[in-house]
Amino acid sequence: FQDDYRAWDIPKSHLYKPEQTYHPPIVKFGNSTTFQDDYVPQEIKPRQSFKPSSVVKHSTIPFNGDTSHRLDYIPHQLEFKFERPKEVYRPSDQTFEDLTTHRNDFQGLFGETAKICRPAYTRVTQNPHFEGSTEFRESFQPWEIPPAEVKKVPEYAPPTGSMELNSTSHLDYVPHQANRVNPIKPVSHRRNNSFPFQGKSTMKEDFPAWESCRQRLIKQQQQIPNPSGKFEGLSTFRSHYVPHALIPTESCKPLNAAMKSSVPFDDVTMYSIEYTPKKQEICPASYPSPPGYIFENTNSQGHKFFRKINPVVKVF
């Protein structure tokens, strides 16, 4: 790269922009804006509150504590409560009867047992002995399956001779001694100034920080004084309430007495009246040759087909 591409001495191109020399102003910059010139600071006045005053208006007329209950109520003298003398417990001389209402009302009634409406069970039996042969056993006989052939795996024979571990990279690669390329980096023309940083700007000089304080809240003073005495805790209900004796209400619930009927129990149901016993038919598939059918043929899958015999009608 250094042999083929050498640095050329190229002259620097001149700018066609007209030169403008900056002349700093002699007069100090005035930091007043149009807002500061036109704005006139005014004193902030709190708005007038239209809320009605919460001052309690005290009446000059004395308080009249008469109520309709006090004016209309006529006190009556209470009668003396009758107190029943306490009876002394005396055990009974008679024996305890442990007969309850259930045992007294349900002593058991003698009657006839209900008749069973179920038809008589007739077991279907066949006189000939069951052979134990089915259509599946007759059609599908067991076949002999030959054993599966197992492929013989050839025995492993190791190769003869020694293994060469050389590769094409090991044989063709030739190491070369090369020098490290120096980086072509331009020289830095940075100036190292030892002067301390001033940290001043026109913004800091023209706009100094002003001390400002936050306006406090305009809060009204409390006009109602807090109570200083101890709270009595006595309400009008506690002071005027008179307790009265409770009178229990009479129960209007009917007596829990069981109703008895002298009519005998009718145990006749619709099932026992309308049930008609039917004769159980035997399934024709249970016979080797079903009655009323004639054997026709057997298909390739081993199914047997039968034809129903039509009854012959004799014409007289």
Side-chain angles (χ1 to χ4, degrees):
F1 182 82
Q2 292 179 357
D3 296 340
D4 298 339
Y5 299 95
R6 297 182 180 181
W8 293 356
D9 189 7
I10 300 174
K12 187 176 182 181
S13 59
H14 299 281
L15 296 175
Y16 294 96
K17 184 178 180 181
E19 295 182 0
Q20 294 182 1
T21 55
Y22 172 72
H23 300 283
I26 303 171
V27 185
K28 189 178 180 180
F29 173 71
N31 57 352
S32 62
T33 60
T34 55
F35 179 79
Q36 294 177 354
D37 297 339
D38 300 339
Y39 178 73
V40 180
Q42 298 179 0
E43 185 180 359
I44 300 174
K45 297 180 181 180
R47 295 184 180 181
Q48 185 180 0
S49 178
F50 293 94
K51 184 178 179 181
S53 60
S54 59
V55 180
V56 180
K57 295 181 180 180
H58 297 280
S59 178
T60 56
I61 305 172
F63 176 70
N64 186 11
D66 294 336
T67 59
S68 59
H69 180 76
R70 291 183 178 181
L71 297 175
D72 300 338
Y73 180 73
I74 301 172
H76 298 279
Q77 187 176 3
L78 298 176
E79 298 179 357
F80 293 98
K81 188 177 181 181
F82 175 73
E83 295 181 2
R84 182 178 296 178
K86 188 175 182 180
E87 297 180 358
V88 182
Y89 174 72
R90 297 178 181 178
S92 179
D93 301 335
Q94 300 179 0
T95 57
F96 177 69
E97 296 180 359
D98 57 349
L99 187 64
T100 59
T101 55
H102 181 78
R103 293 182 179 179
N104 188 17
D105 298 338
F106 300 95
Q107 297 181 1
L109 302 177
F110 297 97
E112 298 179 357
T113 57
K115 296 180 180 180
I116 300 175
C117 302
R118 186 175 61 183
Y121 176 72
T122 56
R123 185 178 181 182
V124 180
T125 56
Q126 296 180 2
N127 296 327
H129 181 68
F130 180 65
E131 297 178 359
S133 62
T134 59
E135 183 180 354
F136 181 82
R137 291 182 179 179
E138 293 177 358
S139 303
F140 299 95
Q141 299 294 334
W143 294 355
E144 294 182 1
I145 301 174
E149 296 181 0
V150 181
K151 186 177 180 181
K152 294 183 178 180
V153 181
E155 296 181 358
Y156 173 75
T160 58
S162 61
M163 182 177 178
E164 295 182 359
L165 301 176
N166 295 327
S167 61
T168 55
S169 177
H170 289 174
L171 296 175
D172 300 339
Y173 179 75
V174 178
H176 298 278
Q177 187 175 2
N179 298 326
R180 188 173 183 180
V181 181
N182 297 325
I184 306 173
K185 184 177 180 182
V187 182
S188 177
H189 300 285
R190 185 177 179 182
R191 297 178 182 179
N192 296 326
N193 297 327
S194 60
F195 301 102
F197 180 69
Q198 296 180 1
K200 294 182 180 181
S201 62
T202 55
M203 176 75 181
K204 290 184 177 181
E205 292 179 358
D206 298 339
F207 297 94
W210 294 355
E211 295 181 0
S212 61
C213 58
R214 190 173 182 181
Q215 187 179 3
R216 297 182 179 180
L217 297 175
I218 302 173
K219 187 176 180 182
Q220 282 187 343
Q221 297 181 358
Q222 188 176 1
Q223 298 179 1
I224 302 176
N226 294 328
S228 59
K230 186 179 180 181
F231 181 65
E232 296 180 357
L234 186 63
S235 60
T236 54
F237 179 79
R238 291 183 178 180
S239 59
H240 302 319
Y241 177 73
V242 180
H244 298 280
L246 298 176
I247 301 174
T249 56
E250 186 179 357
S251 177
C252 301
K253 184 179 180 181
L255 299 176
N256 189 12
M259 297 179 63
K260 296 181 180 180
S261 177
S262 58
V263 182
F265 178 68
D266 186 9
D267 58 347
V268 179
T269 59
M270 296 176 61
Y271 179 78
S272 60
I273 296 174
E274 299 179 359
Y275 178 76
T276 304
K278 298 180 182 179
K279 184 180 179 181
Q280 293 184 356
E281 298 180 357
I282 302 172
C283 181
S286 60
Y287 296 97
S289 59
Y293 294 87
I294 299 175
F295 175 76
E296 286 188 348
N297 57 355
T298 306
N299 61 356
S300 60
Q301 298 180 356
H303 294 281
K304 297 180 181 180
F305 292 90
F306 295 87
R307 180 173 56 83
K308 188 175 183 182
I309 302 174
N310 296 325
V312 180
V313 181
K314 298 181 180 180
V315 181
F316 295 97

